[in-house]
Every structure is written in C-alpha cells, then in structure tokens.
Amino acid sequence: MKQKYQMKKPEKLNLVPILDSVFIFIFFLLMSAQFVDVHEIGSSLPMEKEMTDTNEPKDPLNLIVEVSKDDVVVKTGVKVVQTRTFASTQKEELRTYLIDLKQKNQKENTIIIKSHPKVPFQRLVAVIDNTQAAPESKEKLFEQIVFDNKMVTE
Amino acid sequence: MKKRFNRKKKHDAVDVDITSLLDILTILLVFLLQSYNASDLKLDLIKDLEVADSDARELTKFAPVVQVNKAGVIFFNNKEIGRSPASGADSALTTALKAQKARDDEENKLKTVKMNTELVNFVFDRDMNYEIVQKVMNESALAGYSQFKFIVKGNQ
C-alpha cells in the first residue's frame, strides 16, 4: 500500500495578543517618560550643637569646606584647626584627601559647606560632587551636607 | 447571446508582514525603557533655566518645587511669584510655602501613608550666584521646611 505523505504547512504564530500588550506598554512608558535625566543632592538646615565634653581625647572632625571663586579650603578640627587649600582644578586631590579623612573618622558623615556669595551654583555642585564618593564606588563619604549660614568673604 | 459574467475569484486573506512593525516597536520599547525614570516627581522646567550638571545618582522625590531662572525670578510649583525682596517682611515665597505646608499637613492627617512635609525641591540655574541660593533656602526655612533637595542633571 502506498503511503501518502502530507506536507504540513507551518503554523503561524498568533502575534495579536503580544502586539496588544506591547502597545499598552509603550503608551504607559510614553506617558511616564521624562527625557531630562534629573537627580537630587540633599542637604539640611544648619544646626548648632554645643560641645558638652571638651575633655574628649579625640578632637571632633568638624569638616568645613569653604568654596571661593578660585579655590577650595578644607578645614578640620575644633581645638586645633587644620587647613588645606586646593585649586579649583585639583578635583581628584580633594577627593583623595577626603577619602583619607573618612578612613581616619569612620563615624563622621557630615560636611559643612560655606561659600562665597558670588560663586555660581554649578561650581558649588561640582565641589559637592568632589566631596562625595565616585559614582561607581560603593563606599560612602560625607553624605550629610549642611550649608553654613555664614558666607566666605575675601 | 450568452452573457459573460465576471466571476469574482475567491481570494485568500491577505497576509500582512508585520516583521518591520515589530522591529520598530522593539526599538521603541528599548529606548523608552532606557529613558524610564522611576522617580515620583514630574518636573516641568521653566523657561531660561539651565539645570546644573552633577554626578549625583539619587532619585528625586515628590515635594513642592521652587525654581529660580537666570533672571532670578522665582517660580513655585510652576507659578511665577516674582523676585525675592531685598529685605523686610515675609517674601512671596515664604508665604506660598507656608500655605503649601499647611495644606500638606492637613492632608497628612487623613492619610495612612504620610508624605514628608519637611522636604522642598530646588531647581536653580547653573549660573545663579550662591547669595540667591542661600536667600531662597532661608525663605524656605522660615516657612518651616528643613530638608532641601537640589535638582541636578545627571552627567552622561
């Protein structure tokens, strides 16, 4: 007996439901799309704290970063104030110095920013970026940013 | 005479090739997914305001938005409220923020998931002097806000 072979036509995939869902998904994404990539830098109000125990063996860090038009001055300490000045181009040096400070003061996470009144906002943001850990780094530096009410005078 | 009738041929259902359409949709989907921002803050930037660039990666949160453009004109939740006064009584910004805070505090009483009424978002022009930035911060602090978030543009 002769056997008949029937050529089966390949079944077509029904793409209608997937297309429907993709369209809905696209509409949802289009409605919620924000084409400007915005992020935030947090800061809080300056608070005054009185030192209760002045006989502590370790001087508190009291990290102050003063931003002026041409340079950045980093001040540390309460009893003995140490000062280090960085030119506006020494971004990596500033970050390295702060990483070093963080390693020596693991519990500290506050940085006080003091600025000259004529410093543009972009420069201030750039300095804040340099006082934070590199974007690819998992370690954190001084996250709590506080703006000092007093401004830097020249 | 015999009439010739044009018999309509039975056509098969036309198969539309949707491969190219699917390609476009996939590309669009990938593009939109990449530019998707999970932040709950919808920011409409005002005119003459160039946002500062930053390495910051923290997502924005929903809160009242204060924007200050190049000319120093202040906008609160996209409504122009004028410039900051040199000195004197409460500025228009402080008044607007106080009213907003009172509204939010009132709404919070009815909500189970409370919103942070201490938080305010600032968008400053990149060339704005720090003295104006500090003035706006002071005026916001007078209205009872204590947490300030500066909105910046992510560096690519």
Side-chain angles (χ1 to χ4, degrees):
Chain A
M1 198 176 120
K2 261 187 181 178
Q3 241 184 342
K4 277 187 179 176
Y5 290 102
Q6 267 191 328
M7 283 281 276
K8 269 191 178 175
K9 270 190 179 179
E11 273 185 36
K12 279 191 177 171
L13 215 68
N14 187 11
L15 291 170
V16 178
I18 198 164
L19 267 177
D20 284 351
S21 53
V22 166
F23 264 114
I24 291 165
F25 200 37
I26 283 176
F27 272 109
F28 162 73
L29 288 171
L30 269 173
M31 296 308 277
S32 61
Q34 193 160 311
F35 297 102
V36 188
D37 182 26
V38 287
H39 298 275
E40 65 177 31
I41 296 172
S43 87
S44 51
L45 272 180
M47 279 187 292
E48 279 180 30
K49 190 183 166 188
E50 269 184 42
M51 279 184 69
T52 45
D53 186 11
T54 48
N55 298 322
E56 269 184 38
K58 200 183 175 191
D59 197 15
L61 181 64
N62 192 37
L63 177 63
I64 301 170
V65 173
E66 293 184 352
V67 187
S68 59
K69 282 178 184 171
D70 309 309
D71 50 30
V72 178
V73 180
V74 181
K75 288 179 179 173
T76 53
V78 176
K79 291 175 207 162
V80 183
V81 179
Q82 285 186 323
T83 306
R84 198 160 158 192
T85 307
F86 297 89
S88 55
T89 49
Q90 291 178 297
K91 292 173 183 174
E92 276 313 305
E93 286 86 342
L94 172 64
R95 186 174 277 161
T96 315
Y97 180 64
L98 290 173
I99 290 170
D100 189 41
L101 278 178
K102 179 72 183 178
Q103 279 167 355
K104 287 175 190 161
N105 304 273
Q106 295 280 341
K107 284 181 185 172
E108 300 276 356
N109 70 341
T110 305
I111 185 164
I112 301 163
I113 307 268
K114 228 171 161 182
S115 174
H116 185 271
K118 297 293 174 202
V119 166
F121 184 61
Q122 175 63 70
R123 173 155 159 69
L124 198 66
V125 168
V127 172
I128 292 172
D129 279 348
N130 286 314
T131 61
Q132 302 300 306
E136 63 273 7
S137 162
K138 279 182 184 172
E139 281 177 34
K140 287 169 181 175
L141 280 178
F142 304 95
E143 287 184 298
Q144 180 89 38
I145 302 162
V146 176
F147 283 90
D148 199 316
N149 269 337
K150 288 169 198 158
M151 293 198 219
V152 175
T153 47
E154 280 179 337
Chain B
M1 198 175 119
K2 260 188 183 178
K3 250 187 179 178
R4 274 191 184 174
F5 292 102
N6 280 335
R7 278 187 192 159
K8 277 182 184 172
K9 282 180 187 172
K10 245 190 174 179
H11 287 290
D12 283 340
V14 183
D15 275 341
V16 183
D17 188 10
I18 55 165
T19 318
S20 49
L21 178 71
L22 271 176
D23 288 350
I24 295 166
L25 283 180
T26 313
I27 292 167
L28 196 62
L29 197 67
V30 171
F31 166 72
L32 287 171
L33 275 173
Q34 209 186 13
S35 61
Y36 180 71
N37 194 337
S39 160
D40 54 0
L41 176 77
K42 199 91 185 137
L43 185 69
D44 292 319
L45 286 176
I46 53 160
K47 270 186 184 176
D48 301 323
L49 194 155
E50 216 180 316
V51 185
D53 299 315
S54 170
D55 295 332
R57 279 286 160 266
E58 205 176 323
L59 283 177
T60 51
K61 289 175 204 81
F62 180 76
V65 181
V66 177
Q67 300 188 59
V68 189
N69 70 6
K70 265 187 212 309
V73 182
I74 304 169
F75 292 77
F76 175 65
N77 284 343
N78 284 33
K79 263 188 200 168
E80 187 182 328
I81 54 168
R83 284 163 203 274
S84 184
S87 61
D90 274 7
S91 69
L93 177 63
T94 312
T95 314
L97 279 169
K98 269 183 183 171
Q100 179 72 41
K101 194 167 164 44
R103 271 198 302 274
D104 290 341
D105 285 335
E106 205 59 42
E107 275 177 32
N108 256 357
K109 284 178 189 168
L110 307 168
K111 284 180 186 170
T112 43
V113 182
K114 308 220 185 289
M115 76 174 268
N116 186 356
T117 56
E118 300 280 302
L119 187 76
V120 61
N121 287 315
F122 293 129
V123 192
F124 290 105
D125 186 84
R126 57 188 297 152
D127 299 323
M128 184 64 53
N129 283 344
Y130 177 68
E131 58 185 337
I132 295 172
V133 175
Q134 206 202 31
K135 209 172 191 182
V136 171
M137 283 198 287
N138 281 340
E139 285 172 7
S140 308
L142 284 174
Y145 288 89
S146 59
Q147 292 168 33
F148 309 136
K149 301 281 179 185
F150 299 98
I151 307 289
V152 287
K153 200 165 67 184
N155 278 334
Q156 291 300 317

